[in-house]
Each structure stands twice: as C-alpha cells, then as structure tokens.
Amino acid sequence: LLTNWLECILLPRQPRGLRAGEAAAEAGEEMNRKKLQKVADSLCKTAKHFNKFEVECLIKLFNNLGVEPSERHAVVGLDRNSFRNILHVTFGMTDDMIMDRVFRAFDKDNDSCVSVTEWVEGLSIFLRGTLEEKMKYCFDVYDLNGDGYISREEMFHMLKNSLLKQPSEEDPDEGIKDLVEITLKKMVSN
C-alpha cells in the first residue's frame, strides 16, 4: 500500500496508455477524493477537536465499516447493532443500556442510524471534547426521558446496570438506592 502511494506521488501520470475501464476508474477515484475533501472541509467546521486529516481518516473508517442502505433504512449509516458492536469491540463496553444511550447521543436526528456527520461530530466530543462538552454528553446519556433532569429513578436504572453485582446478603437494589441518595445529598450540599 505504501509503495502504491509513493508511486502515485512520485511517478508522473500517463493517461495516454489507459484503457477505457482504467480511465473511468481513475476518474471515479478523483471524484471520490473531491467528495471526501468537500465532506471533510464541512465537518472540520463542526467537529472542532479533529484536524482535516483526522476527519478524512474517520470518514474513510466510517465508509470501510460497510455502511450502506439496508432494507429497513434508506439512509447510509450505522444501525444500532453495528454501532453497539463498535462500542463493544473498540471501547470494551458491555452494558446494553449504556450502549443504547451512547447510540442515542450520537444519533442526533433520531433516524435510528448514525450518519457520517453524526459519527465524526460524536467522536469529536466522545474522544476529545472539553470537560464541559463531556459533562453535557454524559448528562444526555443519563437523562433517559430527555426532560432535562436526571431523576432518582433514572440514576437508579443507570447505576443498577453499570455496577458489578457482588454476592452478598444485602439486596443489591438497596445498596444502589443508598448510593443514589448519597450522591444526591452530596450534589445538593455543593
């Protein structure tokens, strides 16, 4: 691959000897490069934590994930299962509720599909966001009903699914309820 890239850069192009199919393929590649650059330029304005090269790499990665329209979705993008698989394999996430909530945080237009724009912008915050951006992101993940508040019940459900279950005599739900109460008291006092 590196050799081919160097050849493309160092050797002069000779279009005369190309057959019709090769010329068409080359024209298609040029069009794809232009389209990639146009999309990357646009996304660099909204995904401010990545430079243009990184945005282009993320777009290529997105395209290599095999995202294409399916029978259920006419939109090109990652469906919930594909996205969850990426979260599991790449980031080691195993909690179903957290993975679903992260998917919803990425899927800004709620079309059940993460587009390339949502992918790059979401990763920008997820991987390199400021503390303020990450706090808002986490809040959105924990705000299960989207009402702008995190209730005791929402906190309980998220903690219940996130904490490791320890074999003990005490009811694990009671321990989680206690943790929620301690957390809320601590937040109120600050």
Side-chain angles (χ1 to χ4, degrees):
L1 185 64
L2 182 59
T3 307
N4 290 344
W5 182 77
L6 287 172
E7 286 175 6
C8 289
I9 299 298
L10 298 175
L11 296 176
R13 295 191 184 268
Q14 297 179 4
R16 286 184 179 227
L18 294 178
R19 287 181 262 158
E22 291 172 336
E26 190 170 296
E29 285 178 28
E30 181 63 29
M31 195 167 79
N32 286 340
R33 272 193 297 273
K34 287 180 180 179
K35 184 177 177 184
L36 172 68
Q37 288 175 348
K38 184 177 178 183
V39 172
D41 286 340
S42 172
L43 284 173
C44 279
K45 295 172 186 159
T46 56
K48 38 188 183 196
H49 301 293
F50 292 129
N51 63 38
K52 185 176 178 185
F53 175 76
E54 292 167 328
V55 169
E56 287 177 358
C57 288
L58 288 171
I59 293 168
K60 288 176 185 175
L61 175 62
F62 181 85
N63 291 334
N64 287 336
L65 291 171
V67 292
E68 53 190 45
S70 66
E71 292 173 8
R72 292 184 340 167
H73 301 290
V75 179
V76 175
L78 293 168
D79 65 12
R80 183 179 305 274
N81 290 334
S82 300
F83 189 84
R84 287 171 52 121
N85 186 51
I86 292 166
L87 290 176
H88 176 69
V89 171
T90 307
F91 300 105
M93 288 187 185
T94 56
D95 184 274
D96 289 334
M97 183 178 266
I98 294 283
M99 288 191 290
D100 279 341
R101 296 301 304 164
V102 170
F103 176 81
R104 286 187 180 187
F106 270 69
D107 183 23
K108 295 290 187 194
D109 61 3
N110 295 317
D111 66 350
S112 298
C113 206
V114 174
S115 68
V116 69
T117 300
E118 292 167 330
W119 166 258
V120 174
E121 290 174 355
L123 285 174
S124 176
I125 292 170
F126 189 76
L127 297 174
R128 295 194 180 156
T130 64
L131 178 60
E132 199 67 31
E133 289 170 326
K134 286 181 179 181
M135 285 174 27
K136 183 185 178 332
Y137 175 83
C138 288
F139 185 90
D140 290 344
V141 168
Y142 274 72
D143 182 15
L144 300 178
N145 63 6
D147 67 353
Y149 299 94
I150 298 177
S151 67
R152 279 181 169 77
E153 293 78 21
E154 289 169 324
M155 196 177 296
F156 175 81
H157 285 296
M158 294 302 286
L159 289 173
K160 182 178 180 178
N161 290 320
S162 298
L163 296 175
L164 293 175
K165 304 206 180 356
Q166 299 292 325
S168 68
E169 296 173 19
E170 186 181 332
D171 179 19
D173 285 0
E174 285 304 313
I176 294 168
K177 287 178 185 174
D178 292 344
L179 182 58
V180 168
E181 289 306 316
I182 291 167
T183 303
L184 290 174
K185 284 179 186 174
K186 182 78 170 163
M187 292 172 73
V188 169
S189 68
N190 288 336

